[in-house]
Amino acid sequence: MIRYFNPLQWFKWLGQWFVAWFRTIPWKRAGTAVPAIGLTIALAILLFVSSGENVSWRSQLIRDQLADAFERDDYQTAELLIRRQMEEGDESADTLFRYAVARHQQDETEEAYSLMRGLVGQQRDPKAARWLLQELYDKKKWADLEDAEQREFGQLLQFLSEETPDDLGIKQAYADYLVRTNRQNQAIPYLVQLASVQPMRGLQAAVISRQAGESDAATRYAEATLEKVQQLFAEEPASPQLAMANVQALIFLEKHADAVRLLNESIGRMKTKEHQAALQQAMGDTIVVWINKIESEPNETPEERLRVLKMLQVALQYAPNNPRVLSLVADQVLKTLESEDKELSKIRAALVKGSSPGIANFIRGTAALLKDDADKATLHLKLAAEHLPHSAAILNNLAVALAEKEDADMEQALTISEQAIESVSEPNAYFYETRGQILTKLGKHLEAIPDLERALAEESLADAAHESLAICFEALGQEDLAEEHRAAIVGESGAAQ
């Protein structure tokens, strides 16, 4: 009995059975069975191929037809073929993406957007996110987007920045989005990563860090930026863009002298006059920034004032028509009018002479106005207005000069004052004070009050504005309000003492 449980005995019996079966085959007539055997093998192979999930001949045929339909822009046929794939259970992200594209091309835009949003939200498909960005936001300006659109735009960029971390284009767009939406601190890591290929992004990170009070980080980012642009500039010393990049980093690090020195050396290396002119303008701007930094220091001395005027002489040599330089020249000259220092007076006169005719006459006219010489002020300010007819500052000062003349033409002064106000988008308190005083002298008290009230915001104008407001309210029968403004003059005088 035990042999029935012996596996070796089973193999022996199986072998005997196979030999006996093999001997029973009619080998003499075996040739007639070859076609049937071949057919059976072919059918088995065909069945295996046709039943394969991924290499099905039918699926391959549909894919080929689908590719051909897209190539011919035959989206109706493409939609039918995709639907057939979906009926067979193929609801992959790629299939649904193609279906959404086909529907979009047949003007079913809302359905297409919905499908693409579903792919992003449910299957996290980067292709769908890119498609939505291109179709919905590629040609739109940020200011034209509704709040909901801005949010979706940011969500798509955030999704793509996570799914495709090596895509610098997406990283750049997302960093810009964060900056636009006042999330600058969140943008810093992306800007630092972008700095490897766009060095000035590092300087942008530095600016944001400084605004956030992170001085050490700001300095670190700026120094890293400077090191990279210096390396690039050493390879291309005639590049105006790299020269400017170096200058911007140096100015941020408050290395103004180095920035001026670099610009001076770079101007001579430039290959075209246009590039030279651009760097000369940059020289003027750099000196203006340097002077503003000097003036921000609390201890101003005559030596510092002299140094500033000498720096402005250099700025005028490089950029005689730079608006920032000319504006600062006017400010500095007017600040030093009362100084009797001979060297200071000499440089001051040279600055006025070296300025454009319009600025020179503006300085002379304003200086005369400060000395209460209305006739001389009017002459020079009229000449200045001829050269610079759209300068609001010149027009405003000319209106003041005309109003202070003995034979004042107040209507003309009012017209010019209004031109000054209309020539700027945000007129300052000085402009409104000028018009308010002229209206007061014309007896247009009700019209003068709003301008004079605006002038109260400027401390240096407050006393004169209160005095004229008292006159206006008294003329309008509002004695209590007039008395309040007279008291305000007394109060401010007492405070000043």
Side-chain angles (χ1 to χ4, degrees):
M1 268 308 277
I2 196 168
R3 69 177 184 273
Y4 293 113
F5 296 98
N6 188 349
L8 295 176
Q9 188 65 39
W10 290 3
F11 282 116
K12 179 181 178 182
W13 289 338
L14 185 60
Q16 291 173 347
W17 175 84
F18 183 76
V19 170
W21 172 79
F22 190 76
R23 287 175 178 174
T24 62
I25 295 175
W27 293 105
K28 293 181 179 180
R29 291 180 292 162
T32 59
V34 170
I37 294 171
L39 179 61
T40 301
I41 293 172
L43 289 173
I45 294 172
L46 185 61
L47 177 64
F48 174 78
V49 172
S50 62
S51 62
E53 181 178 356
N54 296 322
V55 293
S56 164
W57 66 271
R58 187 169 180 273
S59 297
Q60 186 60 48
L61 178 61
I62 292 176
R63 283 196 291 269
D64 292 342
Q65 291 176 333
L66 184 58
D68 181 63
F70 270 104
E71 188 175 346
R72 292 183 289 102
D73 295 336
D74 185 359
Y75 295 104
Q76 288 184 338
T77 301
E79 181 185 343
L80 292 173
L81 292 168
I82 295 170
R83 285 183 180 276
R84 190 172 298 173
Q85 285 181 315
M86 294 167 64
E87 289 169 0
E88 292 180 356
D90 182 2
E91 293 191 358
S92 65
D94 187 62
T95 299
L96 292 174
F97 178 82
R98 286 172 172 265
Y99 180 66
V101 171
R103 296 297 290 164
H104 182 262
Q105 292 295 335
Q106 296 177 81
D107 295 327
E108 298 294 338
T109 54
E110 292 303 321
E111 182 182 356
Y113 296 152
S114 178
L115 286 166
M116 291 295 188
R117 289 182 176 118
L119 282 171
V120 174
Q122 298 168 16
Q123 300 199 35
R124 299 189 65 79
D125 183 13
K127 294 196 306 298
R130 289 181 184 278
W131 186 91
L132 285 169
L133 282 175
Q134 182 175 356
E135 291 296 328
L136 291 174
Y137 304 110
D138 186 46
K139 297 180 180 178
K140 287 187 178 180
K141 295 181 179 179
W142 175 256
D144 296 334
L145 298 179
E146 301 290 338
D147 290 344
E149 291 177 320
Q150 291 180 0
R151 284 194 298 272
E152 182 181 49
F153 179 63
Q155 289 167 356
L156 291 170
L157 288 174
Q158 181 180 7
F159 167 75
L160 283 171
S161 68
E162 294 170 356
E163 294 296 315
T164 56
D166 296 330
D167 191 325
L168 294 179
I170 291 297
K171 202 181 296 291
Q172 177 176 329
Y174 188 47
D176 291 339
Y177 167 80
L178 291 171
V179 171
R180 284 195 192 102
T181 53
N182 296 319
R183 287 179 280 178
Q184 288 89 342
N185 288 342
Q186 296 179 37
I188 289 176
Y190 296 97
L191 294 171
V192 172
Q193 293 174 39
L194 287 167
S196 61
V197 291
Q198 300 176 14
M200 296 309 288
R201 288 288 183 170
L203 190 60
Q204 187 179 2
V207 171
I208 293 172
S209 296
R210 179 174 287 179
Q211 290 171 347
E214 299 290 340
S215 300
D216 292 341
T219 300
R220 188 168 63 253
Y221 296 144
E223 288 177 344
T225 300
L226 179 60
E227 183 179 354
K228 289 176 183 175
V229 294
Q230 282 178 337
Q231 291 172 355
L232 295 171
F233 190 48
E235 298 172 4
E236 296 183 62
S239 168
Q241 293 81 10
L242 291 173
M244 283 303 305
N246 268 281
V247 168
Q248 289 171 13
L250 288 168
I251 289 174
F252 184 87
L253 292 167
E254 297 184 355
K255 298 180 179 180
H256 302 98
D258 291 339
V260 168
R261 191 179 305 111
L262 185 144
L263 281 168
N264 184 50
E265 295 171 354
S266 299
I267 289 170
R269 296 197 197 110
M270 295 300 106
K271 297 178 179 179
T272 67
K273 291 183 178 179
E274 290 77 9
H275 291 162
Q276 288 179 347
L279 292 191
Q280 286 170 342
Q281 291 296 318
M283 177 70 88
D285 290 333
T286 301
I287 292 175
V288 167
V289 172
W290 192 359
I291 290 173
N292 289 334
K293 174 61 180 175
I294 293 171
E295 293 207 314
S296 68
E297 303 296 332
N299 49 349
E300 181 181 317
T301 63
E303 290 75 19
E304 284 293 320
R305 182 61 53 208
L306 189 61
R307 178 190 175 198
V308 165
L309 292 182
K310 288 180 178 179
M311 290 170 67
L312 279 174
Q313 277 188 305
V314 176
L316 276 174
Q317 290 172 7
Y318 280 98
N321 297 314
N322 186 310
R324 296 181 67 189
V325 172
L326 293 173
S327 177
L328 193 56
V329 166
D331 290 343
Q332 294 299 325
V333 169
L334 294 173
K335 279 183 181 180
T336 60
L337 280 177
E338 296 181 359
S339 174
E340 300 297 333
D341 184 276
K342 291 183 178 180
E343 188 174 1
L344 201 62
S345 299
K346 183 178 178 181
I347 296 176
R348 185 172 62 216
L351 284 172
V352 174
K353 187 177 179 180
S355 300
S356 66
I359 294 297
N361 279 296
F362 169 65
I363 294 171
R364 294 186 183 107
T366 303
L369 195 59
L370 292 173
K371 294 178 180 180
D372 297 324
D373 189 344
D375 290 330
K376 186 177 180 180
T378 300
L379 171 64
H380 286 295
L381 289 169
K382 280 185 175 180
L383 291 172
E386 289 291 329
H387 290 285
L388 300 169
H390 302 295
S391 170
I394 292 173
L395 292 173
N396 181 71
N397 287 8
L398 177 57
V400 174
L402 288 170
E404 291 185 358
K405 290 179 67 176
E406 290 185 5
D407 55 341
D409 185 344
M410 302 304 298
E411 289 293 345
Q412 182 186 13
L414 178 61
T415 299
I416 293 174
S417 174
E418 289 176 340
Q419 288 176 2
I421 291 173
E422 291 170 1
S423 66
V424 290
S425 56
E426 295 182 7
N428 61 38
Y430 291 92
F431 290 7
Y432 286 119
E433 196 265 349
T434 298
R435 187 171 67 178
Q437 296 291 358
I438 294 171
L439 288 168
T440 302
K441 291 178 180 179
L442 283 169
K444 299 181 179 181
H445 302 105
L446 187 60
E447 296 177 40
I449 289 172
D451 284 342
L452 294 170
E453 289 177 336
R454 291 188 183 102
L456 293 174
E458 181 60 44
E459 186 177 356
S460 62
L461 302 175
D463 276 355
H466 279 304
E467 184 177 352
S468 294
L469 281 166
I471 293 171
C472 291
F473 281 116
E474 185 176 24
L476 294 170
Q478 301 292 320
E479 186 59 41
D480 53 340
L481 291 175
E483 189 57 37
E484 284 183 16
H485 284 287
R486 292 192 191 99
I489 299 171
V490 173
E492 289 178 6
S493 299
Q497 293 173 357

